[in-house]
Amino acid sequence: MGEGQFEVAEGHLNRLNQLDDELLTAVESGDEQAFRAALASLLEAVREFGSPLPDDSLEPSDLILPDAEATVDEVKAMLRDEGDGLIPGLPG
């Protein structure tokens, strides 16, 4: 949210799912420090493994990630809406 769209190759989904699991654990524990670290790691991995799409491109998105300033409660609501995590494709 707020950074545009990225295309991430399927080969990186395992790593993104691991980071998603860490974020889920941090959200469930309510540990703000662990939450901030897990969210930052997930967002950084998407930037590292993903290829940004042009700003004028609007492709269907498989997922929407929270921005770096999201609160635990906002991410908790997103996780509740998504089910088992934010990253689709593979079980966590």
Side-chain angles (χ1 to χ4, degrees), residues 5-8 16 19 40-52 63 65 87:
Q5 291 184 296
F6 289 80
E7 185 173 351
V8 178
L16 294 180
L19 295 169
S41 293
L42 179 58
L43 295 174
E44 183 58 34
V46 169
R47 290 182 202 109
E48 178 183 342
F49 299 134
S51 300
L63 63 117
L65 296 178
I87 308 296

Side-chain angles (χ1 to χ4, degrees), residues 26 35 75:
F35 166 74
V75 174

Side-chain angles (χ1 to χ4, degrees), residues 8-10 12-18 20 42 46 61-65 79 82-92:
V8 178
E10 205 170 305
H12 295 292
L13 286 180
N14 280 333
R15 179 64 182 140
L16 294 180
N17 269 301
Q18 290 171 342
D20 189 33
L42 179 58
V46 169
S61 295
D62 290 334
L63 63 117
I64 298 175
L65 296 178
L79 289 166
E82 293 298 323
D84 293 330
L86 298 173
I87 308 296
L90 298 172

